[in-house]
Amino acid sequence: NRQRQKMIKTVILAALVASASAFQVGVMPSTSGMRLRTSASSAPRVARRSVAIAPRMAFDMEALIQDSKNERLAHLEKQAMDAIKVSVENNENVVFPNAMIAGDCVITDLCGRLGYLKTGQVKIMVVDTFHLFPETMEFLKEIEKHYGFKAEVFQAEGCKDKAEYDAKYGADLWKEDVEQYDKICKVEPFQRGLKTLKTGVMMNGRRRDHGDERAYIDLFENAPIGGGMAKVNPLAYWTFEDCFDYIAANKIPIHPLHAKGYPSIGDAKDTIPIPEDGSVRFVNYKFEGKKSEWLDYNAERKGRFVGLANKDGSTKTECGIHVAGAEQTFDRDLWVEGSKVAELSKSEAEALAKSKDDAVVVIYAPWCKFCQALEPAFEDLAKELDGVKVAKYRGDEDRDFVKAKYNTNSFPTINVIKGGKVIKYESEDRDVKSLKAFVEKNIKVAA
């Protein structure tokens, strides 16, 4: 029995050693040919034959991993192209707002391969905030030439260049009121662009691995009730690493700042390299440095919106273009179709500001999410104020006038007109009760 137990231990140990060695050198062990004898005569045979180990197959772990990644990328590529095809073949006026970041470069290439850029079936739209890196607009020229398209560029309303913008709004608006800056330089031009191009479907590069507001997006999003458009997110299920894998595999044009340490590119004023020493770069279609600094979940935009915060103190993660409701009113006005809120022309607004009549006027912009939120409450206020004129005037198209005559620096601004005096509502409380209390404090309202 002792001899037998010793023999079994020897065989097991030999098998374990062989298995470990085979994994290290890339050879899978086999126990075919191995036979344990339990008779007394087996002891000499063990010493004589030991254990037969036969190699079965070569195992190249790196090759297998690369094959798996290639298969995944091929699947994602087909899925994205199918989503683009479905959008183009079933809708008119597909518009792709392109920020020229890595994912947008992937979508640009896919659209180019499908022939949709040269034919204009997919229109490229670019918002120039006047605060972009100089390299960004130069890169736009490069991809226009490479893919054979001409982008539609939109900027702050009424400003043809940075000098005009600075004269009108001030160079430091983004420091003084970042939400107002977003509205003027990003959201309004964005909405105006969609409207000008008669957008039926908006294509964009949002992905689930961006996290935050984007963590559960799908390939397609239906148009919301009450206005808006359908969206297609061709890269919804991709990762940031997938984007760079595609870029490297296809050697497509990418933004030059990736080679200088920037994982994502936005406004120069609040975008930094990650890490800040620029030690991670994507150069000649290869990563240099610790690439996980860029590729970890929700890491792509770590270098964006640096030092910026929302009014509620929360960290800024969106510019306002892609937040819920941002596209809700690009193709409609506020307080329309039977509304109790009257629309003022320019001459009526000028006359009302000097009038002895009592009135309540909201100065608004239809793309502004705060104006959108105010719409139902202000409508209800108009219904409750018997004998008082309740009106609206669109201020984003006439900023100098509303600033001078209607106390307006941001939207919405609500004023009471009393005896030719324009009195501004200063509170952020915009419920019916609060608004009505302000009106009744300043003018007489019929019971």
Side-chain angles (χ1 to χ4, degrees):
N1 284 338
R2 288 181 190 173
Q3 189 80 17
R4 177 181 170 187
Q5 290 174 357
K6 184 177 179 181
M7 176 271 295
I8 292 173
K9 288 180 179 179
T10 301
V11 171
I12 292 172
L13 179 61
L16 289 173
V17 171
S19 296
S21 299
F23 183 82
Q24 290 176 348
V25 300
V27 179
M28 294 296 288
S30 170
T31 55
S32 61
M34 181 188 297
R35 185 173 55 175
L36 301 183
R37 293 184 177 270
T38 56
S39 63
S41 61
S42 65
R45 282 185 170 275
V46 172
R48 187 167 59 251
R49 292 186 57 188
S50 186
V51 179
I53 304 294
R56 294 182 64 181
M57 60 175 286
F59 177 63
D60 188 333
M61 186 166 60
E62 293 298 325
L64 184 59
I65 290 172
Q66 188 58 52
D67 286 346
S68 299
K69 291 185 73 172
N70 291 343
E71 289 174 7
R72 168 184 168 80
L73 192 60
H75 167 74
L76 290 171
E77 182 179 325
K78 181 180 183 303
Q79 184 184 73
M81 294 184 85
D82 286 346
I84 294 170
K85 286 180 186 177
V86 167
S87 301
V88 171
E89 293 172 5
N90 292 277
N91 298 276
E92 294 182 358
N93 300 325
V94 178
V95 175
F96 174 30
N98 194 330
M100 292 164 278
I101 54 180
D104 287 0
C105 289
V106 171
I107 295 175
T108 302
D109 190 69
L110 294 174
C111 290
R113 287 171 54 189
L114 289 166
Y116 293 151
L117 297 182
K118 287 185 177 180
T119 63
Q121 289 169 281
V122 172
K123 295 181 178 68
I124 300 291
M125 182 182 104
V126 172
V127 173
D128 181 2
T129 66
F130 295 132
H131 294 76
L132 301 174
F133 288 94
E135 293 90 339
T136 298
M137 297 308 286
E138 287 301 314
F139 179 58
L140 175 60
K141 295 176 184 177
E142 178 186 334
I143 60 175
E144 284 179 328
K145 182 177 180 180
H146 182 85
Y147 293 106
F149 71 89
K150 184 64 179 174
E152 300 283 348
V153 180
F154 293 87
Q155 303 157 331
E157 180 71 22
C159 303
K160 70 179 182 215
D161 55 31
K162 180 70 161 58
E164 285 194 3
Y165 167 84
D166 288 350
K168 189 169 185 178
Y169 298 106
D172 294 330
L173 177 63
W174 67 274
K175 297 178 184 177
E176 298 162 359
D177 189 340
V178 69
E179 291 190 4
Q180 185 69 0
Y181 165 79
D182 281 350
K183 293 173 191 175
I184 292 168
C185 294
K186 299 179 181 181
V187 180
E188 190 280 328
F190 180 82
Q191 302 297 352
R192 178 162 37 87
L194 295 177
K195 184 175 182 179
T196 300
L197 299 175
K198 298 180 171 57
T199 306
V201 173
M202 182 176 76
M203 189 181 301
N204 67 89
R206 294 179 304 153
R207 304 190 312 272
R208 287 188 172 194
D209 76 324
H210 284 141
D212 300 315
E213 296 91 341
R214 307 180 181 193
Y216 298 99
I217 61 170
D218 286 307
L219 279 175
F220 302 98
E221 297 175 65
N222 290 326
I225 296 172
M229 79 213 81
K231 291 183 181 179
V232 57
N233 310 308
L235 308 185
Y237 311 135
W238 292 47
T239 65
F240 200 30
E241 184 175 13
D242 293 326
C243 294
F244 282 104
D245 285 345
Y246 178 91
I247 289 167
N250 295 278
K251 302 292 189 291
I252 69 172
I254 58 168
H255 199 296
L257 288 184
H258 290 308
K260 296 183 179 180
Y262 292 82
S264 186
I265 298 97
D267 280 352
K269 61 184 174 54
D270 53 56
T271 304
I272 62 171
I274 294 296
E276 290 189 51
D277 62 5
S279 58
V280 179
R281 297 176 293 274
F282 190 71
V283 182
N284 296 325
Y285 300 106
K286 292 181 181 179
F287 273 105
E288 297 178 356
K290 188 179 178 183
K291 65 181 182 180
S292 61
E293 293 274 3
W294 287 20
L295 303 181
D296 282 348
Y297 177 79
N298 198 11
E300 176 181 354
R301 297 185 297 162
K302 284 196 299 187
R304 297 282 299 279
F305 314 116
V306 174
L308 303 182
N310 297 309
K311 281 187 176 180
D312 62 5
S314 61
T315 300
K316 193 169 183 60
T317 62
E318 291 278 8
C319 66
I321 288 176
H322 292 299
V323 296
E327 77 286 346
Q328 186 177 359
T329 59
F330 86 101
D331 61 353
R332 72 176 180 92
D333 200 358
L334 301 180
W335 298 289
V336 294
E337 298 176 3
S339 172
K340 293 286 187 181
V341 180
E343 182 174 7
L344 298 176
S345 66
K346 175 70 173 284
S347 59
E348 290 172 333
E350 288 175 329
L352 187 60
K354 300 179 287 186
S355 172
K356 298 298 182 181
D357 296 333
D358 295 339
V360 182
V361 179
V362 60
I363 308 299
Y364 75 103
W367 44 264
C368 169
K369 64 181 179 180
F370 302 108
C371 296
Q372 295 167 14
L374 174 66
E375 187 176 19
F378 201 71
E379 180 66 36
D380 289 341
L381 178 69
K383 293 175 182 177
E384 293 190 19
L385 295 179
D386 291 334
V388 176
K389 185 180 183 69
V390 179
K392 65 173 184 175
Y393 185 75
R394 183 166 178 173
D396 62 318
E397 297 179 338
D398 201 359
R399 294 175 188 270
D400 291 339
F401 169 71
V402 296
K403 183 176 182 179
K405 301 296 184 182
Y406 280 90
N407 306 311
T408 302
N409 291 307
S410 62
F411 306 115
T413 294
I414 300 167
N415 293 283
V416 162
I417 313 298
K418 173 66 176 176
K421 184 178 181 181
V422 180
I423 307 166
K424 182 178 179 180
Y425 180 61
E426 299 286 359
S427 174
E428 294 291 324
D429 296 327
R430 297 180 181 132
D431 57 279
V432 178
K433 182 178 179 181
S434 299
L435 293 171
K436 190 174 182 181
F438 171 70
V439 174
E440 291 177 337
K441 179 182 176 181
N442 291 282
I443 59 178
K444 186 176 181 179
V445 179

